[in-house]
Amino acid sequence: MEPKFQGGDLIFVDPEATCVHGSYVVAKFDDDNQATFKQLIIEGGQKYLKALNPNWPVQLIQINGNCTLVGRVVFTGKSL
């Protein structure tokens, strides 16, 4: 999540908000029982999930109908 989001940051995810190019989203791949937090990239009608950490080994993951966008991040904040 770094450098855009820091450890300890709170994110609020709206499952009804529209996910558009550049949105920060929580997504779940159908063949995995875990969710991931990435940036949604839409180029030429194709959707990708982009890692927020520039040092993450896989920067772009193509979505081929094998992923559910759980919701869009609508607010971030710090915990006191």
Side-chain angles (χ1 to χ4, degrees):
M1 299 185 320
E2 294 181 7
K4 177 71 177 170
F5 299 89
Q6 303 298 314
D9 284 359
L10 300 174
I11 60 170
F12 293 81
V13 179
D14 184 347
E16 295 182 14
T18 303
C19 298
V20 297
H21 175 76
S23 295
Y24 296 103
V25 299
V26 172
K28 181 185 171 303
F29 284 94
D30 298 339
D31 58 350
D32 194 354
N33 198 26
Q34 297 182 20
T36 186
F37 175 45
K38 305 258 189 261
Q39 184 176 28
L40 178 65
I41 304 296
I42 303 173
E43 291 182 353
Q46 183 57 55
K47 294 180 181 180
Y48 302 89
L49 294 175
K50 180 181 177 185
L52 303 179
N53 181 342
N55 298 319
W56 197 253
V58 179
Q59 284 295 301
L60 283 177
I61 302 169
Q62 187 173 7
I63 299 174
N64 293 318
N66 60 339
C67 178
T68 300
L69 297 178
V70 176
R72 186 183 82 195
V73 174
V74 294
F75 179 81
T76 63
K78 300 274 185 208
S79 178
L80 298 176

